Amino acid sequence: MSVKRISQFFNPKSVAVIGASNNAGRAGFVVMRNLLQGGFKGPIMPVSPKHKAVHGVLAYSNIKALPQTPDLAVICTNKNTLEQIIIELGELGCQHAIIIASGANQAQKTSLKQIAKEAGVTLLGPNCLGLLIPHLGLNASFSHTVAEPGKLAFISQSAAVCSTILDWAQNKRIGFSYFISVGDCIDIDFDELLDFLGRDAKTRAILLYIDNIDDVRRFISAARAAAFSKPVLVIKTGRTRAGAEAAYIHTGGQSSDDAVYDAMFQRAGMLRVNDLRELFAATQTLALHPKLLQVEQLTILTNGGGPGIMAVDTLLQGSGKLAELSDQTREALNKVIPQAEKIYNPVDLFGDSSPKRYQQALEILLKAPEVKNLLIIHTPSALAPSEEYAEIIANALEKIPKMARPYVMTVFMGEYAAYEARYVCAEHSIPTYRTPEGAVGAFMHLVSYRRNQKHLTQTPESISSDLLINSQTAKHEIAEFIAEGHTHLSTHLARKVLSHYSIECIQTEIALTPSEAKEQAERLGFPVALKLISPSIPSKSEVGGVVLNLNDGNEVEQNAFAILLRIKEAYPDAIIEGFSLQRMAPRAGAQELRIAIKTEPGFGPVILLGEAGTGLEFSQAAVALPPLNMNLAKYLIAAAQDKGVLKERTLPDKVDKYRLCALLTRISQLLVDQPDIYNLELNPVLASEGQFLVLDAAIQLRPYQAKANRKRLAIKPYPKEWEQKVTLKDGQEATLRPIRPEDERAHQEFDQSLTKEDRYKRFFGELPEFNHEQLAKMTQIDYDREMAFIVSAPHKSAYRTLGVSRVLMDPDNLSAEFAVVVRSGSQGLGLGKLLMNAAIDYCRSQGVGIVEGITLPENTGMIELSKRLGFKVTRDFEEGTINMVLKLDEAQQ
């Protein structure tokens, strides 16, 4: 990924059009026309062997004939000429190109990508509409219309969707900071664009249209970083299997179940919309209100009862909330709506209300402190012209300072009568919709975004799993199983692995023959469950491979013979390894769960939770991406309940959700620690009295082979390998380790312990203490992009943080900024050196070239330490700061 090259790509000073044409049916004709009409200030140079001039601009017969090296080339020729053109552009020194052409197969794309890399040319496309940067007047696309300047960035893999959005935005007076058609993404991809746009001051919100994602891990990192600072909305095609296959044919990339994408978008703090209609609504909402809502409650003002009821129904069905009006607001409204016996929300003005009454009621609600979000609905009426009411709304809002006014949305129902009113709203940057359902749906996008952001910054409960997990012993056992040729572990073998993560399986005995099954059952005691062991049959109950409540040995033997006969008939080639026998577990009062790990293309292993059943389908489970902490496990349980795949049962003892969360985190740690586990299913898991007992377990093993360009997990887990025990200069024992989300409370106490002087040295000013959101960002870090080391020591009944070092790598991984702060009163214990060395070692392991930091001249301790560690220290007299730079390649020599 490279923000630097994207920044250059999006700031061209000159453009060449390769394949420019005077033929109106060619892309080269439209691109030249759009560039000339868009107001771009730099040179526009058409390249065409057929025309001496294109659109009246002198043309050049070939790339070598260009009078200067263009910053950007737009290639409008067919796919068969692309490779030679890229080579020639590279020879000329042009570093950036857009490829419009479509139809290239995978082999051609791979070859083109390699040639572009060798030529030093960055590519956007192929199979794309092009690029529009309104604030530069750049329309390097074959779009049928222009994009107005604005604060929204739009990225799409579909050129057709780009054209549709542009057309719609023109009508709604919605502008864009960047409008990017990425096509097949053979080079520039979503992750690079998200990194760039997440930092771009001209962009307040980002919208994505995605067919497929190539590198999921890079995408999640970039999306999460962007979503922390601004709204990121996404529409992802391929919800059905057939749709996913069509998306793969269209743009290539990985194809996984849609539920996994849902889990990814939520984990990254993004907001997913379902279709273009929702995307239109969300686009308008974000264009005019990109910030977080203060509250979720909605107030509705309407001149028609029916539309108001429609809005309420849509709001409540979508888990929204109605605001409750105060007594003062009700009393004020009663004075202007005399025919109303009681005032409720929605506030109904009735169809015969005059503009004056409408204005009075509106002003009351705009000033009411409990009204933070207001939906205004207007239906056509001879007594209430739509345009006049729109002017009233606009004028009322202009009287209130922006920071003090509620968030206002409007609905002008009808078509012809409402057109001018919608135009007035668009001119005054007031979101307006055609129906109450559409407006409420758009509002709920903001609510969902607010909730997702809260999820991103919630502090997980701390739970120590160290005493419950023995990962090295489990790894050794798995290696032995693989060495013995095992690829599938049934319950009797899987329980040996699971026990090292405190996952309890029911006692299981093995029999190779029906007569041996009889003997084992008699030893166990009755009643027993008899189950076939066969790696060839994933769901044994569906073929009669499971028989429950057998009460004597003869019954066990007869049923074992019957199972063999059924399997021989249904699956003559199946591998039969024998039978397992278990004492029947008491199921009365217990809820039966299913927990699974399934490896998905592009994502790696994911976790599924649902109720016990026969199949392992995503439609029957909620999905989460590992690693899980207690909070994320809680959201997985809530998602399973919302989806209806985990029901609240009327049982003497309900499922202990806290302990279920702890179990899910241990299963998550199992898949993090054991890369050779490809799939796992625990089905059923009996949940009763706070205990969880696995009745049937199946583990599929596949020796993991690391790939240079692919990581196993979609999200980098906590890097436990960087933990170490340290002894401080005063003899105190402590732990040096990466920071965790669970450290937020300790980090808050650490922040509060700093003196004003220490805070001034660290932050170059008197900053207030950090709030929850700031602390969450400091502790819930993306280990792929940044690292924070802490020294943690026992203190009374807990642990406290003694010092922190932090490094933030740039997206290009060329350099990293560092910062160190030590607890006030703990200086002189060697903490600074420990923390700095940990940060430097980590940067070196990640291939970072330069580590640099800034401090104040009075921070002499930090300056002297950096000198001892090999940093080059210089003073910036203009800024009044000290710069510290360490080149790691030189430091190793």
Side-chain angles (χ1 to χ4, degrees):
M1 64 187 95
S2 173
V3 169
K4 183 178 180 181
R5 72 167 185 162
I6 295 296
S7 300
Q8 294 170 344
F9 198 108
F10 288 157
N11 191 30
K13 302 294 190 297
S14 58
V15 180
V17 180
I18 317 300
S21 176
N22 285 320
N23 184 338
R26 300 286 185 183
F29 175 90
V30 180
V31 170
M32 275 296 297
R33 181 199 66 193
N34 287 347
L35 280 167
L36 292 168
Q37 294 179 353
F40 183 67
K41 304 300 183 185
I44 299 170
M45 299 170 283
V47 175
S48 172
K50 297 180 180 180
H51 307 285
K52 291 186 177 181
V54 177
H55 287 281
V57 179
L58 177 66
Y60 302 91
S61 59
N62 54 59
I63 292 172
K64 293 179 181 178
L66 286 169
Q68 67 180 76
T69 301
D71 291 332
L72 176 66
V74 186
I75 305 173
C76 303
T77 61
N78 68 61
K79 62 182 180 180
N80 297 319
T81 65
L82 296 177
E83 293 185 2
Q84 183 59 36
I85 288 173
I86 295 299
I87 292 171
E88 292 181 18
L89 287 173
E91 290 173 348
L92 187 65
C94 177
Q95 298 180 348
H96 309 294
I98 299 171
I99 301 177
I100 302 295
S102 61
N105 60 35
Q106 192 56 49
Q108 289 172 311
K109 293 176 188 176
T110 302
S111 175
L112 187 62
K113 182 176 182 179
Q114 183 60 34
I115 288 170
K117 183 178 180 181
E118 293 171 357
V121 180
T122 299
L123 300 179
L124 181 67
N127 189 23
C128 73
L129 183 78
L131 171 67
L132 295 90
I133 309 178
H135 67 271
L136 295 180
L138 180 73
N139 185 352
S141 77
F142 68 97
S143 66
H144 69 293
T145 186
V146 299
E148 298 296 330
K151 295 291 186 179
L152 283 181
F154 183 76
I155 313 170
S156 172
Q157 280 182 301
S158 168
V161 171
C162 285
S163 297
T164 305
I165 289 285
L166 276 174
D167 197 72
W168 173 84
Q170 275 282 302
N171 178 262
K172 293 292 184 181
R173 308 294 194 277
I174 290 174
F176 297 91
S177 55
Y178 299 91
F179 198 94
I180 309 162
S181 174
V182 292
D184 294 342
C185 299
I186 68 168
D187 188 9
I188 293 177
D189 209 339
F190 286 102
D191 57 287
E192 289 182 280
L193 295 171
L194 284 167
D195 276 324
F196 169 73
L197 296 170
R199 293 165 169 78
D200 180 60
K202 294 182 288 295
T203 300
R204 291 194 306 196
I206 305 169
L207 295 101
L208 310 175
Y209 179 95
I210 297 173
D211 286 332
N212 280 299
I213 296 169
D214 180 45
D215 193 321
V216 169
R217 185 150 166 176
R218 285 169 52 180
F219 177 86
I220 292 176
S221 283
R224 188 172 185 268
F228 255 128
S229 60
K230 58 192 67 173
V232 181
L233 265 72
V234 58
I235 180 170
K236 166 70 176 67
T237 57
R239 283 188 169 274
T240 63
R241 180 58 59 186
E245 290 172 359
Y248 175 80
I249 293 170
H250 183 223
T251 54
Q254 301 287 344
S255 179
S256 293
D257 194 277
D258 191 66
V260 184
Y261 280 100
D262 257 342
M264 177 188 69
F265 293 139
Q266 185 173 22
R267 184 71 176 267
M270 306 166 76
L271 177 62
R272 183 176 188 176
V273 295
N274 295 315
D275 49 42
L276 280 178
R277 179 185 59 82
E278 286 191 8
L279 187 64
F280 288 154
T283 301
Q284 183 177 189
T285 305
L286 285 176
L288 303 175
H289 189 81
K291 297 181 180 179
L292 273 178
L293 296 174
Q294 295 180 44
V295 298
E296 296 182 6
Q297 288 78 8
L298 180 65
T299 304
I300 301 168
L301 174 65
T302 177
N303 70 334
I309 296 169
M310 293 178 197
V312 171
D313 286 344
T314 305
L315 181 73
L316 299 183
Q317 287 168 359
S319 74
K321 302 172 185 177
L322 277 171
E324 185 173 340
L325 299 178
S326 67
D327 291 341
Q328 293 88 340
T329 302
R330 292 172 186 270
E331 184 178 343
L333 288 169
N334 267 322
K335 294 178 181 178
V336 301
I337 314 175
Q339 64 265 57
E341 294 181 6
K342 290 184 179 179
I343 299 294
Y344 295 102
N345 182 15
V347 178
D348 189 356
L349 289 170
F350 305 102
D352 61 349
S353 290
S354 66
K356 182 179 179 181
R357 180 181 297 170
Y358 193 93
Q359 181 177 351
Q360 290 173 326
L362 175 61
E363 289 176 348
I364 291 169
L365 291 175
L366 290 175
K367 295 175 182 177
E370 71 273 21
V371 177
K372 301 297 183 185
N373 307 296
L374 178 61
L375 171 59
I376 304 168
I377 303 174
H378 183 272
T379 57
S381 167
L383 299 175
S386 298
E387 185 179 0
E388 184 176 348
Y389 278 62
E391 294 286 358
I392 289 173
I393 295 169
N395 292 334
L397 286 174
E398 285 181 0
K399 296 175 184 177
I400 303 174
K402 285 188 177 181
M403 298 300 293
R405 69 175 67 159
Y407 173 55
V408 174
M409 310 165 69
T410 64
V411 171
F412 284 93
M413 301 183 69
E415 197 56 47
Y416 178 77
Y419 181 81
E420 290 299 327
R422 294 190 194 121
Y423 179 83
V424 170
C425 289
E427 286 292 296
H428 289 83
S429 299
I430 304 168
T432 185
Y433 305 87
R434 280 179 163 77
T435 66
E437 296 91 341
V440 172
F443 175 73
M444 288 307 297
H445 290 318
L446 293 176
V447 171
S448 297
Y449 172 66
R450 181 176 188 267
R451 293 173 182 175
N452 283 358
Q453 289 297 299
K454 281 185 170 290
H455 289 176
L456 268 183
T457 57
Q458 282 194 345
T459 309
E461 297 177 73
S462 295
I463 178 169
S464 176
S465 297
D466 295 343
L467 300 178
L468 306 174
I469 290 175
N470 190 338
S471 61
Q472 290 306 312
T473 305
K475 187 181 289 290
H476 178 72
E477 286 193 352
I478 289 173
E480 287 188 344
F481 283 133
I482 291 174
E484 293 168 2
H486 290 284
T487 58
H488 292 77
L489 306 182
S490 296
T491 308
H492 67 292
L493 297 178
R495 69 193 297 259
K496 295 180 181 180
V497 175
L498 297 173
S499 65
H500 298 300
Y501 287 81
S502 296
I503 302 169
E504 184 183 359
C505 293
I506 193 169
Q507 182 182 351
T508 303
E509 301 297 336
I510 305 304
L512 300 178
T513 65
S515 59
E516 193 176 335
K518 174 183 176 180
E519 295 173 5
Q520 292 286 12
E522 289 172 344
R523 289 194 192 99
L524 274 175
F526 298 99
V528 298
L530 175 70
K531 301 176 183 180
L532 177 72
I533 302 176
S534 172
S536 308
I537 304 172
S539 183
K540 300 166 189 63
S541 59
E542 290 184 351
V543 293
V546 178
V547 185
L548 306 178
N549 290 307
L550 299 177
N551 290 299
D552 64 60
N554 291 330
E555 196 176 2
V556 170
E557 187 174 22
Q558 291 167 7
N559 275 279
F561 274 118
I563 288 173
L564 291 177
L565 290 173
R566 284 195 295 271
I567 298 304
K568 186 175 182 180
E569 183 177 341
Y571 294 93
D573 298 325
I575 298 171
I576 307 298
E577 295 181 348
F579 302 91
S580 68
L581 292 105
Q582 300 170 341
R583 184 83 180 267
M584 287 297 298
R587 298 193 177 196
Q591 186 162 355
E592 299 186 15
L593 310 177
R594 179 186 62 184
I595 304 172
I597 295 169
K598 189 172 182 181
T599 298
E600 277 288 287
F603 286 86
V606 298
I607 299 173
L608 293 83
L609 172 66
E611 292 192 335
T614 55
L616 182 59
E617 299 296 331
F618 284 102
S619 60
Q620 300 169 330
V623 183
L625 301 183
L628 297 183
N629 56 32
M630 291 292 283
N631 257 5
L632 294 170
K634 181 171 67 176
Y635 296 143
L636 176 58
I637 295 169
Q641 291 175 328
D642 291 343
K643 194 174 180 179
V645 296
L646 187 64
K647 298 179 176 64
E648 288 276 7
R649 303 292 183 184
T650 305
L651 298 170
D653 292 303
K654 291 190 176 182
V655 174
D656 187 324
K657 292 182 180 177
Y658 178 84
R659 291 188 178 180
L660 178 56
C661 286
L663 173 63
L664 290 168
T665 61
R666 294 200 299 278
I667 291 171
S668 168
Q669 194 60 46
L670 169 69
L671 73 86
V672 169
D673 293 341
Q674 312 300 338
D676 295 330
I677 293 180
Y678 191 73
N679 289 330
L680 173 148
E681 183 168 9
L682 311 179
N683 179 26
V685 180
L686 290 189
S688 178
E689 298 180 349
Q691 303 299 314
F692 298 91
L693 180 64
V694 178
L695 302 190
D696 204 352
I699 296 177
Q700 181 185 359
L701 298 178
R702 183 179 295 182
Y704 175 68
Q705 294 182 338
K707 297 179 182 178
N709 60 341
R710 281 290 185 272
K711 304 297 184 182
R712 173 173 167 260
L713 297 171
I715 299 171
K716 186 172 182 177
Y718 173 77
K720 190 177 177 66
E721 65 273 16
W722 286 91
E723 289 184 353
Q724 59 174 299
K725 298 294 183 182
V726 295
T727 302
L728 305 182
K729 287 184 177 180
D730 64 352
Q732 185 179 180
E733 298 294 326
T735 301
L736 173 67
R737 62 170 174 83
I739 203 165
R740 293 190 294 237
E742 294 85 349
D743 290 319
E744 183 183 328
R745 291 184 180 88
H747 208 68
Q748 181 180 39
E749 188 274 335
F750 170 75
D751 177 58
Q752 292 170 346
S753 75
L754 298 177
T755 64
K756 287 185 177 181
E757 181 183 357
D758 287 336
R759 292 180 69 81
Y760 184 82
K761 289 178 181 178
R762 167 64 183 87
F763 303 113
F764 298 8
E766 295 185 6
L767 287 184
E769 293 176 356
F770 295 123
N771 59 30
H772 162 65
E773 285 74 20
Q774 292 168 320
L775 288 166
K777 289 181 181 180
M778 292 178 176
T779 54
Q780 299 182 31
I781 65 174
D782 181 351
Y783 298 114
D784 263 327
R785 294 180 162 228
E786 58 184 308
M787 177 56 74
F789 287 100
I790 65 170
V791 174
S792 180
H795 179 70
K796 296 182 179 179
S797 60
Y799 283 80
R800 68 176 182 177
T801 300
L802 301 182
V804 183
S805 65
R806 194 175 295 272
V807 286
L808 178 63
M809 284 78 78
D810 73 331
D812 304 331
N813 209 42
L814 299 176
S815 64
E817 294 181 13
F818 81 88
V820 178
V821 60
V822 173
R823 188 183 192 91
S824 299
S826 294
Q827 288 90 350
L829 300 179
L831 289 165
K833 185 177 181 180
L834 279 170
L835 290 163
M836 276 298 300
N837 278 330
I840 292 168
D841 290 344
Y842 183 79
C843 288
R844 185 174 285 122
S845 74
Q846 300 301 302
V848 175
I850 298 174
V851 179
E852 51 192 348
I854 302 173
T855 192
L856 294 173
E858 50 264 44
N859 193 357
T860 55
M862 184 71 252
I863 296 169
E864 290 303 314
L865 174 61
S866 64
K867 287 179 179 178
R868 291 198 301 272
L869 294 175
F871 282 79
K872 181 179 180 181
V873 177
T874 59
R875 182 160 187 167
D876 187 329
F877 288 96
E878 186 175 339
E879 296 292 333
T881 58
I882 301 294
N883 297 328
M884 301 164 287
V885 178
L886 177 66
K887 294 183 178 180
L888 294 183
D889 52 351
E890 294 179 4
Q892 285 181 301
Q893 296 175 357

